[in-house]
Amino acid sequence: MNELANSFAFNNAWLIPALPFFSFLVVGLFIRPVSDKLAGIVATLSVATAAFLSIWLAFDYFSAFPAGAEHPGLISWSFEWLRYEEHLAVNVGVLVDSLSILLMVVVTFVSSLVHLYSIGYMKGEDGYGRYFTYLNLFTFSMLGLVVAPNILQTYVFWELVGVSSFLLIGFYYTKPSAVSASKKAFIVTRFADLFFLIGVLLIAVVGYNAMSMFGAPGSLPDNVSAFDFSYLTSSGVSIMMNNLGLLTPAMILIFIGAAGKSALFPLHIWLPDAMEGPTPVSALIHAATMVVAGVYLVARLFMPFAASGTALLVAGYVGAFTCLFAAVIACTQDDIKRVLAYSTLSQIGYMIFALGVASATETLGYTASLFHLFTHAFFKALLFLGAGAVIHAVHTNNIWNMGGLAKKMPITNITFLIATLAISGVWPFAGFFSKDEIIASAFGTHHYVIFAVGLLVAGITAFYMFRIYIVTFLGKARSEAVNKAHEAPMTMTIPLIILAALSAVAGFVHFGDFVSVGAESGHAEGGFPIWIPALLSGLSGIAIAWFIYAGNSERSKALTERLGAIYRVIYAKFYIDEIYLFVTHKIIFRFISAPIAWFDKRIVDGGVDLTGWMTRRGGAVFSRLQTGQAQTYTTWMVNGVIAVAVLIWIFVS
């Protein structure tokens, strides 16, 4: 602990989120109007410096608390923002523990590579400086979320992530589809966030009442707030909420918010459309930042979720269904970025169901989920950036207009293949280890349905990933653009090489020594029952994809025709978007919104209009009494006096 107290990185951990924020202000207000090129350089250097500090902080923290030791949550920096009353205050600060350090390292490292890649990818684009301004804002927002010591700071930055993603997805604001996609993402996630807010208020109010009656638990300082994670994750709050019957509803409400941000079924519809933004944005959103925010939230509140049990089980089955549902759709899509988007949905499903099968005593799923978050960040970012290099070269997203790019783009080909092997769970690449632990955690906790889903999806994942690899890089060129294709510039290939190296070796990290909860940690003891079927499932998917798509294109056409209506339904993404449109336009707009609009226009506005009309008519009537003639006023005065005298005489007599 003394070593950490003297650590520059720990004492100045606030710089990690602050550097992208300062860069956002400086680049946006001063540099961007002067020099686009300088804007990209400054924005990239700021995030790279934050990544360096994050790695430094991780080294110092895990040196002070090595493997096997407890990894406490420490407040590096804090100040009081709002105080309502005793034990109900909101502090803005930086929480340093194993979970926040993991996310800080992943977010800053991947973001710095995306910034570097964007210098080459976005060259010559209108709004180049604006793009880097938004990218800095997004990185700051995500970092503010993961270092939050309390749930209200998390919620504020949660919303700021939504705003900055709206700006990035709609970057090409002259393109109607991009504008529509940005609005769709914003509206869907805001809908989910309403439930999140209700859950936050519910858990905080009950926690505050518990603290008012019983005080802070002995393990916590007296100045702890009802919003602080250190208090909300304590057993006393969970026990009291369980006794009141409120723990499960609160956790499910919070999970709905997590499901919206992580695009879990049925709130997944915004994520594939988010591909309308620049490809590096897709790499950042889909790999290490926005979509894993929901996973982070469930992990941060894991102990209350585990105390509920039911809420955690709901998360597990929603994650498992999303995992299978998205993987099946990915098998039919032709847009390379949309395949990767549905792949992200499926992999997030893996992470969520791993958390769902865990418990307070069986915590391997917790470690496995975050291990997969760690490895997935590298190979999914690599897949998106590799896809961006291909799109940059051939100017199309459709894989059937590609082919034969292995010779034209050798670096992109090799790095994309490494990422494909990693996500397919092939040994010794990173995805093999993290996916194996997830499947093992489901089997070890006797969730056999979820285990079967995980095993099946491992094969489906390998199938659709090798489908796009074979069609994109192997075979003959399918368009003239392929013949003119060439390797991307160094600013784009260097991030590909770095991410490829990490995708190859990240699985060898003994992750449980660094990130765990409770007493258990470490890797699963794979053994025969687990890792062999998982590996065989992946290899089977690769073999099937190779048989169908390598060399003989007629096989894929014949398969499509044979599947007929089934293929068309899957290709149409099970018509989920159409169902949403029908419910929205034909039911909500017609039977809810239209009556409300009528009431607002006719009753509310009509009442205001009636008041104005009555005022005008009354004014017109009374204005006729104002003639400006003295004899008229005298007549009215005399008549009034007579009328009053008559009334007095009648009532008095």
Side-chain angles (χ1 to χ4, degrees):
M1 182 63 189
N2 291 333
E3 296 176 7
L4 199 60
N6 297 324
S7 166
F8 175 87
F10 176 78
N11 292 319
N12 295 278
W14 62 273
L15 284 171
I16 295 171
L19 283 169
F21 178 68
F22 291 148
S23 177
F24 158 71
L25 295 177
V26 172
V27 171
L29 295 176
F30 304 108
I31 298 177
R32 180 178 63 86
V34 177
S35 171
D36 275 347
K37 183 177 180 180
L38 184 60
I41 294 172
V42 172
T44 303
L45 288 176
S46 68
V47 179
T49 305
F52 172 77
L53 287 173
S54 297
I55 295 170
W56 185 357
L57 175 61
F59 179 81
D60 286 353
Y61 181 86
F62 291 115
S63 295
F65 306 105
E70 183 183 358
H71 294 152
L74 305 172
I75 303 297
S76 167
W77 170 84
S78 178
F79 74 91
E80 188 176 282
W81 177 35
L82 297 172
R83 173 165 289 277
Y84 301 103
E85 52 185 285
E86 188 182 8
H87 300 310
L88 198 62
V90 182
N91 295 324
V92 175
V94 175
L95 171 63
V96 176
D97 66 356
S98 56
L99 180 57
S100 65
I101 287 175
L102 167 67
L103 269 296
M104 278 190 273
V105 170
V106 168
V107 170
T108 56
F109 188 79
V110 173
S111 182
S112 61
L113 292 179
V114 169
H115 275 72
L116 177 61
Y117 179 95
S118 298
I119 291 175
Y121 187 88
M122 298 297 290
K123 186 177 181 180
E125 288 272 9
D126 292 335
Y128 182 90
R130 174 169 56 89
Y131 168 83
F132 279 98
T133 304
Y134 292 166
L135 215 56
N136 273 175
L137 176 63
F138 186 93
T139 304
F140 160 69
S141 304
M142 190 65 197
L143 288 170
L145 189 158
V146 302
V147 303
N150 59 74
I151 199 165
L152 270 190
Q153 181 179 330
T154 297
Y155 185 79
V156 170
F157 281 95
W158 188 273
E159 296 304 312
L160 196 53
V161 166
V163 172
S164 49
S165 66
F166 168 81
L167 296 173
L168 285 167
I169 295 168
F171 176 77
Y172 298 115
Y173 59 85
T174 58
K175 188 179 176 184
S177 58
V179 174
S180 176
S182 64
K183 291 191 292 184
K184 187 176 184 179
F186 192 78
I187 292 169
V188 171
T189 52
R190 293 295 73 68
F191 172 78
D193 292 349
L194 172 62
F195 294 92
F196 180 22
L197 179 59
I198 296 171
V200 168
L201 296 176
L202 186 59
I203 193 173
V205 167
V206 175
Y208 170 71
N209 289 333
M211 192 180 297
S212 299
M213 288 188 288
F214 306 112
S219 59
L220 297 176
D222 292 335
N223 63 346
V224 69
S225 169
F227 294 118
D228 291 347
F229 286 123
S230 58
Y231 177 65
L232 293 178
T233 55
S234 61
S235 59
V237 178
S238 297
I239 291 171
M240 182 173 183
M241 293 194 72
N242 242 343
N243 291 338
L244 294 173
L246 295 176
L247 182 61
T248 294
M251 291 298 104
I252 289 178
L253 287 168
I254 290 173
F255 175 69
I256 293 173
K261 198 71 79 181
S262 287
L264 299 174
F265 181 89
L267 301 174
H268 67 282
I269 56 172
W270 67 268
L271 192 64
D273 289 358
M275 298 299 98
E276 293 292 341
T279 302
V281 169
S282 302
L284 191 59
I285 290 177
H286 293 72
T289 54
M290 183 172 176
V291 293
V292 301
V295 180
Y296 162 81
L297 182 62
V298 176
R300 175 59 75 193
L301 293 172
F302 178 76
M303 296 314 292
F305 270 98
S308 165
T310 302
L312 205 55
L313 197 61
V314 168
Y317 279 100
V318 170
F321 181 83
T322 303
C323 185
L324 178 60
F325 172 81
V328 170
I329 294 176
C331 295
T332 65
Q333 301 302 298
D334 300 325
D335 185 317
I336 189 170
K337 289 174 65 176
R338 285 185 180 269
V339 174
L340 296 178
Y342 280 104
S343 171
T344 298
L345 290 175
S346 184
Q347 298 303 306
I348 294 296
Y350 264 119
M351 300 175 204
I352 290 292
F353 88 59
L355 288 168
V357 300
S359 66
T361 56
E362 299 284 344
T363 60
L364 179 61
Y366 175 93
T367 302
S369 173
L370 296 175
F371 188 26
H372 198 56
L373 184 156
F374 175 70
T375 60
H376 176 265
F378 302 131
F379 57 70
K380 184 51 64 67
L382 176 54
L383 287 169
F384 269 109
L385 295 183
V390 170
I391 295 168
H392 192 263
V394 299
H395 309 292
T396 180
N397 290 24
N398 194 315
I399 60 174
W400 299 107
N401 293 330
M402 299 176 187
L405 286 169
K407 295 180 180 179
K408 298 288 184 179
M409 308 177 69
I411 297 176
T412 304
N413 168 58
I414 293 172
T415 55
F416 197 94
L417 177 59
I418 290 172
T420 303
L421 290 166
I423 196 173
S424 299
V426 176
W427 187 89
F429 299 96
F432 168 82
F433 298 96
S434 56
K435 193 176 293 186
D436 179 55
E437 282 201 0
I438 289 176
I439 295 172
S441 67
F443 185 83
T445 53
H446 311 293
H447 291 87
Y448 297 121
V449 173
I450 294 178
F451 163 75
V453 169
L455 204 59
L456 175 62
V457 172
I460 298 174
T461 301
F463 170 79
Y464 68 69
M465 284 308 307
F466 269 86
R467 170 180 176 262
I468 64 172
Y469 173 75
I470 293 167
V471 174
T472 301
F473 289 96
L474 305 183
K476 297 179 180 179
R478 298 186 183 87
S479 67
E480 185 61 30
V482 173
N483 295 324
K484 299 177 181 178
H486 55 82
E487 193 61 85
M490 290 297 291
T491 53
M492 295 170 65
T493 55
I494 289 174
L496 297 181
I497 294 169
I498 294 172
L499 288 169
L502 291 169
S503 298
V505 304
F508 291 100
V509 175
H510 205 269
F511 193 79
D513 289 343
F514 303 102
V515 180
S516 61
V517 65
E520 296 188 18
S521 64
H523 291 246
E525 297 298 329
F528 177 80
I530 303 301
W531 72 265
I532 289 182
L535 182 58
L536 289 176
S537 179
L539 293 176
S540 299
I542 295 172
I544 295 171
W546 200 273
F547 174 77
I548 295 174
Y549 297 102
N552 188 351
S553 61
E554 295 303 319
R555 289 198 187 103
S556 63
K557 294 179 181 178
L559 179 62
T560 300
E561 292 173 0
R562 186 171 297 178
L563 289 173
I566 296 174
Y567 181 87
R568 289 193 294 273
V569 169
I570 298 173
Y571 184 79
K573 298 160 285 189
F574 294 95
Y575 297 102
I576 299 296
D577 283 273
E578 287 76 8
I579 293 172
Y580 268 105
L581 286 174
F582 174 81
V583 171
T584 302
H585 288 271
K586 301 298 183 181
I587 298 177
I588 296 177
F589 286 1
R590 187 175 180 180
F591 296 107
I592 299 177
S593 300
I596 291 174
W598 181 90
F599 181 84
D600 181 62
K601 185 175 181 179
R602 301 296 182 184
I603 306 301
V604 178
D605 286 354
V608 174
D609 293 342
L610 178 63
T611 302
W613 179 85
M614 292 176 63
T615 302
R616 289 194 303 272
R617 294 302 300 168
V621 171
F622 285 113
S623 67
R624 294 174 183 172
L625 301 178
Q626 304 297 322
T627 63
Q629 297 176 349
Q631 58 268 35
T632 301
Y633 299 153
T634 303
T635 301
W636 278 105
M637 183 181 70
V638 171
N639 289 336
V641 170
I642 293 172
V644 170
V646 170
L647 289 172
I648 293 173
W649 179 76
I650 291 173
F651 287 104
V652 171
S653 62

